[in-house]
Amino acid sequence: LAATFGLPPHYNCGKGGANELKAGKVLIKNAEVLTMQPQADMLSDCSVAVADGKILAVGPPPAGFNPDEVIDGRNHLVMPGFFNAHCHAAMVLLRGSAEDLPIDRWFNEGIWRSESALNEEDVYWGTALAVCEMIRGGTVAFADHYFWMRQVARVVEESGMKALLAWCTFGAEGTAEMGNVSLDEILAFTTEYRDRADGRIKTMCGPHSPYVTTRKWLRKIAGFARQSGLGCHIHVAETSDQVRQSLASEGATPVAYLAETGVFDNPSIAAHAIHISKEDVDILKKKGVSVVSCPKTHMKLAMSTTRVSDLVDAGINVAIGTDGAASSNNLDMLEAMRLASLLSKHDRQDAASLPAWQVLRLATTGGANAMGFVNSGSLHPGADADLILIDLDKPHLTPRHSYTANIVHSAVAADISHVFVDGRMLLNKGCLITLDEERIKHEAQRRGVRMVASPTGTIQRY
Ligand SMILES: [Zn+2]
């Protein structure tokens, strides 16, 4: 595999890779089970049986079921894993490097300068670090929007995670794409890699946003996406300035403009979608676009936020994302859910807004739908065995009046004890199975320092 990508053979973040992991027969016994089916149904003192990567039973296993592994689920909650529906995984390398800056200075003086020192190997190790963090936080799949996506695909294959990969393209007239790759090469990736890794990899086209790309470029990408049956994953209407700019230059809001260029012709992902009109909501609904809210970035960069409850009420599929750690500082879906719920209550001055069970749905079934993993996101026989165990035997999770409230408003990533993807165990009692975490942290530390300290980067240490 390394040779394919022109990298030295020692270049491997894994401990042997997910290919060597067998999806065995597993029986989890005596657990509390949150199925998320149809809403947030709880089953007490319940078993979950897994075989061939699928859930065989929620409840007593079929007669004659002979598991390879039995997990004592007492004091544990089993639920679907989280879907991080918008992130830039390798940006963990810039974690904490551009703090307390308004969004324009954050982009121009911080992120885009440091990213000019980014190389292909950095993306590999940065993504590996991100995946360590995400697995530890109970995330089973992530929607990545970044560069050199073949490296991200390698980490997905080696780690055993699921991912929706979109290779970010700027399409600014007269400017080369990151890494000097051509649009044709970027588009070829999307069809070459779709359904790789036994279907754990899905792809979309990844135009960065309507405000950096040209109409011609968007049309070209949209045409390719339409022909290939792919969607697009794109940043939309993050600031009111972007909307003003779009109205002035295109005579339409960003959402209407993207619909007109064909970007939303197949089920797509609109990240943020903060400053949108009633007509925009109708377009998103009609086009089947999923909207992803990233509440921590919204708060940290002093933006407004996605009106999640309104979109849910309008029948739009909404999911939750962490965004990149350069703005959100971590890839923690428990925290992202908590902030989404709190921000919705605060923003609407309504304590009933976005209750725990609903935000859990957005982070599980909502994300699975947005990312095209339609057989995942809830626990029922026949579903993909993408599930997590949460250790409930903690002071901050006691007593257990409401499991959903405890998860969304009290739990922390360190409470996640086990993670399974397609029935394969990726985290066992808090230990990562597929990834060499020590090596990955070492590589990420030195690469992150190099990027931020590069002549074009900024240094901030306080
Ligand atoms: Zn983003």
Side-chain angles (χ1 to χ4, degrees):
L1 202 62
T4 321
F5 299 114
L7 294 165
H10 66 268
Y11 210 75
N12 189 330
C13 66
K15 292 175 177 173
N19 292 340
E20 294 174 19
L21 287 178
K22 291 229 164 51
K25 292 182 190 164
V26 179
L27 180 63
I28 305 164
K29 283 167 61 175
N30 309 114
E32 307 301 314
V33 180
L34 178 60
T35 62
M36 300 314 297
Q37 167 121 345
Q39 288 199 327
D41 291 12
M42 283 295 312
L43 301 164
S44 226
D45 195 14
C46 179
S47 297
V48 176
V50 171
D52 301 322
K54 307 280 182 204
I55 293 171
L56 189 64
V58 179
F65 180 66
N66 188 15
D68 308 311
E69 176 141 19
V70 178
I71 295 175
D72 181 3
R74 273 175 297 182
N75 277 322
H76 285 72
L77 180 136
V78 182
M79 67 171 290
F82 305 125
F83 286 74
N84 185 351
H86 177 72
C87 73
H88 317 279
M91 286 184 93
V92 288
L93 296 179
L94 301 181
R95 192 192 322 260
S97 72
E99 293 293 300
D100 309 314
L101 295 171
I103 189 167
D104 52 336
R105 293 187 58 202
W106 176 82
F107 262 131
N108 295 318
E109 296 169 32
I111 301 318
W112 284 345
R113 291 183 68 184
S114 296
E115 276 183 343
S116 67
L118 180 78
N119 65 44
E120 190 168 1
E121 297 184 15
D122 296 332
V123 171
Y124 178 79
W125 290 106
T127 306
L129 183 73
V131 167
C132 289
E133 183 183 351
M134 285 194 275
I135 294 173
R136 288 191 170 284
T139 294
V140 290
F142 63 106
D144 203 40
H145 194 282
Y146 213 50
F147 314 106
W148 287 295
M149 294 309 282
R150 285 189 176 82
Q151 299 306 324
V152 181
R154 278 191 67 202
V155 176
V156 174
E157 295 196 65
E158 290 168 6
S159 66
M161 282 275 269
K162 288 186 172 176
L164 169 70
L165 305 182
W167 192 321
C168 179
T169 164
F170 291 110
E173 214 68 73
T175 315
E177 295 294 330
M178 183 74 93
N180 268 326
V181 288
S182 67
L183 178 62
D184 288 340
E185 191 186 338
I186 289 172
L187 296 179
F189 164 83
T190 56
T191 44
E192 191 187 333
Y193 275 75
R194 72 197 303 182
D195 296 321
R196 278 255 188 132
D198 302 322
R200 286 188 288 110
I201 293 178
K202 305 215 174 283
T203 58
M204 277 190 183
C205 295
H208 178 273
S209 58
Y211 62 91
V212 295
T213 50
T214 63
R215 183 180 285 262
K216 197 172 122 207
W217 192 267
L218 283 174
R219 278 200 193 283
K220 182 169 178 184
I221 294 171
F224 175 87
R226 191 168 42 243
Q227 269 181 6
S228 316
L230 294 167
C232 293
H233 182 172
I234 186 165
H235 297 94
V236 180
E238 299 152 296
T239 66
S240 51
D241 264 358
Q242 289 172 13
V243 178
R244 266 195 293 279
Q245 217 179 72
S246 178
L247 287 168
S249 63
E250 311 300 338
T253 63
V255 169
Y257 168 55
L258 289 173
E260 187 195 312
T261 51
V263 166
F264 293 151
D265 282 1
N266 283 324
S268 292
I269 292 181
H272 308 296
I274 294 169
H275 297 273
I276 57 174
S277 66
K278 165 115 190 31
E279 291 72 33
D280 290 338
V281 174
D282 293 340
I283 293 171
L284 294 170
K285 169 84 166 76
K286 195 170 130 227
K287 293 284 186 182
V289 177
S290 292
V291 170
V292 182
S293 182
C294 306
K296 191 168 178 187
T297 290
H298 301 168
M299 296 174 79
K300 194 136 182 289
L301 295 181
M303 303 155 76
S304 189
T305 193
T306 316
R307 300 200 45 99
V308 171
S309 292
D310 293 345
L311 296 176
V312 171
D313 290 347
I316 289 171
N317 183 58
V318 180
I320 304 289
T322 60
D323 214 340
S327 58
S328 70
N329 296 67
N330 65 30
L331 305 174
D332 182 341
M333 283 295 287
L334 283 166
E335 186 181 69
M337 280 192 291
R338 181 171 310 149
L339 291 176
S341 175
L342 295 178
L343 200 49
S344 185
K345 293 175 195 304
H346 193 265
D347 187 45
R348 293 165 65 112
Q349 293 287 290
D350 176 9
S353 175
L354 214 54
W357 69 265
Q358 197 171 34
V359 76
L360 279 165
R361 266 188 75 82
L362 306 187
T364 53
T365 52
N369 288 339
M371 293 165 62
F373 291 105
V374 290
N375 198 34
S376 190
S378 66
L379 303 186
H380 58 88
D384 294 349
D386 301 330
L387 54 90
I388 62 175
L389 274 75
I390 301 177
D391 183 356
L392 300 173
D393 193 14
K394 302 282 174 80
H396 60 277
L397 300 177
T398 307
R400 302 171 195 169
H401 297 304
S402 162
Y403 288 102
T404 55
N406 277 10
I407 296 165
V408 171
H409 294 294
S410 310
V412 294
D415 300 331
I416 313 288
S417 62
H418 296 74
V419 173
F420 290 85
V421 173
D422 277 349
R424 288 181 286 205
M425 201 194 283
L426 308 187
L427 187 75
N428 182 13
K429 295 179 187 161
C431 293
L432 288 168
I433 298 194
T434 52
L435 296 165
D436 185 346
E437 197 174 29
E438 288 309 312
R439 168 118 199 258
I440 292 166
K441 282 190 292 185
H442 171 78
E443 289 285 349
Q445 172 66 25
R446 69 183 189 89
R447 288 166 189 278
V449 167
R450 190 205 78 238
M451 280 175 70
V452 174
S454 74
T456 54
T458 52
I459 304 178
Q460 189 179 15
R461 288 198 187 108
Y462 41 74

